[in-house]
Amino acid sequence: MLCDPAFRPVVEAFREGIGAGGAALAITAGGRIVVDVWHGTRDEAGTLPWERDTVVNVFSVSKSLVTTLAHVLVRRGLLDLDAPVSAYWPAFRTRTTVADLLAHRAGLPALRDPMPEGSAYDWDAMTAALAAEPPWWEPGTRHGYHAVTFGWLVGEVLRRATGTSVRDLVTAELGPDLHIGLPAHAERRAASVLPPEGSAGVAPAPGPVALRAFTNPADLLVPGAINTPAARRAQIPAVNGHATARALAALHGGLADLLGSDVLARATAPRSDGPDEVLGGRTRFGLGYMLPNEVRPFAPNPRAFGHTGAGGSLAFADPDLGIGLGYVTNRVLITPAGPDPRWTPLLEALYR
């Protein structure tokens, strides 16, 4: 384990907030790792210790990986954000741009008709259904969190722009211990996701868009499904990324070098800011990256960017502090709005 003395209060706050299960925290500053710590257990029985190379499902933090891939392609001239999606994906019916897909403005956060069992694990079935789906609102006019569809929508554009799957792009471009679709050889290192012990808030009654956005297809809602080989190995790029905290911190702390200043500035400028058609509160997004917002206030600096994940995972960069942070956990807490209570003390210590 590693902890620069200046960050000791952050690490103490991290350890105090873990509770049941396990977690890991990593922070980079000035291009070097200054915190790399882990604690607790990684299996359902609570007997296997969390280890340095333990990976875990980070849920929607996965979107930050997909987003970063998109901007890597932009920097290389392989992806035009202002181009219509149909320029890369001819069967795609909705008239919208790649930028609108990334900014949750395409109007495709959900599928109306129930998808057959197993569809979440079937890339072709999901992308074909989304290509034919009429938008829920006029693209570009409003935004709403594309909770699960984001990964298939953006991922299919990336696949068509490069001829390479999202799974292989992540491996080739973003480095070790970051995965969309966990390789079989890494399963022995994977922490089991523990079911929620309770709720830290009360979710509003979902409207028809939100209900379908989170439940169609329903495969991952089956108890225990998230820990099965089928769910781990599938390509569900919005929600089944697996990572270590160290890899997330290194990625986000190094985005300025990876993407270049111009590409990164465009990627992180507010593009969607206001009422969210799916989540109900006010959210903020750049071109794929989440920005601190009313629903998920993950950092006090509005210029921070990254993504939160259901259950508590978090990864972000703060360009003013020059840091990248990754926090991963296998103990799910349900926090419909507001920060995860485990983040609050460590972030207070970080920004003190």
Side-chain angles (χ1 to χ4, degrees):
M1 296 193 185
L2 171 67
C3 176
D4 184 295
F7 292 86
R8 187 170 292 116
V10 180
V11 172
E12 291 172 353
F14 157 74
R15 287 182 173 144
E16 290 172 2
I18 290 174
L25 170 70
I27 300 172
T28 64
R32 66 185 183 93
I33 293 280
V34 293
V35 171
D36 186 14
V37 295
W38 54 93
H39 190 73
T41 57
R42 59 188 173 90
D43 64 323
E44 294 182 57
T47 58
L48 296 177
W50 200 284
E51 298 175 346
R52 186 177 188 274
D53 64 350
T54 296
V55 295
V56 67
N57 189 315
V58 295
F59 294 95
S60 284
V61 172
S62 311
K63 295 182 179 71
S64 204
L65 308 186
V66 179
T67 292
T68 299
L69 288 176
H71 294 295
V72 167
L73 298 188
V74 169
R75 187 179 191 188
R76 293 180 185 167
L78 299 176
L79 187 65
D80 180 357
L81 297 177
D82 297 319
V85 173
S86 59
Y88 300 95
W89 186 356
F92 192 78
R93 279 182 52 182
T94 298
R95 298 183 64 179
T96 192
T97 63
V98 176
D100 280 340
L101 283 190
L102 286 164
H104 300 268
R105 304 182 69 84
L108 294 170
L111 293 165
R112 292 171 175 82
D113 295 334
M115 293 296 292
E117 182 179 347
S119 295
Y121 310 135
D122 187 333
W123 184 273
D124 292 339
M126 291 307 303
T127 54
L130 287 165
E133 184 74 13
W136 291 77
W137 62 81
E138 182 181 350
T141 62
R142 291 175 279 170
H143 81 278
Y145 187 47
H146 288 45
V148 186
T149 61
F150 180 95
W152 291 304
L153 290 167
V154 178
E156 181 66 1
V157 172
L158 302 184
R159 188 186 73 82
R160 288 173 178 265
T162 63
T164 303
S165 69
V166 172
R167 181 201 317 272
D168 292 340
L169 284 171
V170 168
T171 299
E173 302 292 347
L174 302 187
D177 289 334
L178 296 169
H179 305 283
I180 297 291
L182 189 66
H185 66 77
E187 282 200 33
R188 64 170 183 80
R189 300 191 285 122
S192 295
V193 175
L194 307 182
E197 296 181 331
S199 174
V202 179
V209 182
L211 184 63
R212 288 173 174 82
F214 288 97
T215 64
N216 185 27
D219 301 294
L220 297 183
L221 301 178
V222 176
I226 200 69
N227 293 322
T228 63
R232 286 174 171 171
R233 295 178 189 176
Q235 289 187 92
I236 313 174
V239 296
N240 87 325
H242 284 69
T244 63
R246 181 175 56 259
L248 290 172
L251 175 68
H252 288 77
L255 285 174
D257 292 332
L258 180 64
L259 302 181
S261 58
D262 291 345
V263 170
L264 184 61
R266 185 181 182 190
T268 59
R271 181 84 170 204
S272 298
D273 188 350
D276 190 298
E277 296 292 320
V278 174
L279 298 181
R282 299 180 67 88
T283 57
R284 298 171 67 237
F285 295 93
L287 290 175
Y289 295 114
M290 180 182 281
L291 311 177
N293 62 81
E294 177 185 276
V295 176
R296 285 288 180 256
F298 61 82
N301 182 1
R303 281 173 30 85
F305 59 92
H307 222 288
T308 65
S313 292
L314 171 66
F316 71 89
D318 186 323
D320 296 340
L321 291 185
I323 66 164
L325 180 145
Y327 174 88
V328 301
T329 179
N330 67 338
R331 181 171 67 100
V332 173
L333 288 183
I334 300 173
T335 53
D340 187 292
R342 293 166 293 188
W343 304 342
T344 304
L346 69 88
L347 291 175
E348 287 177 351
L350 178 64
Y351 280 92
R352 188 173 297 140

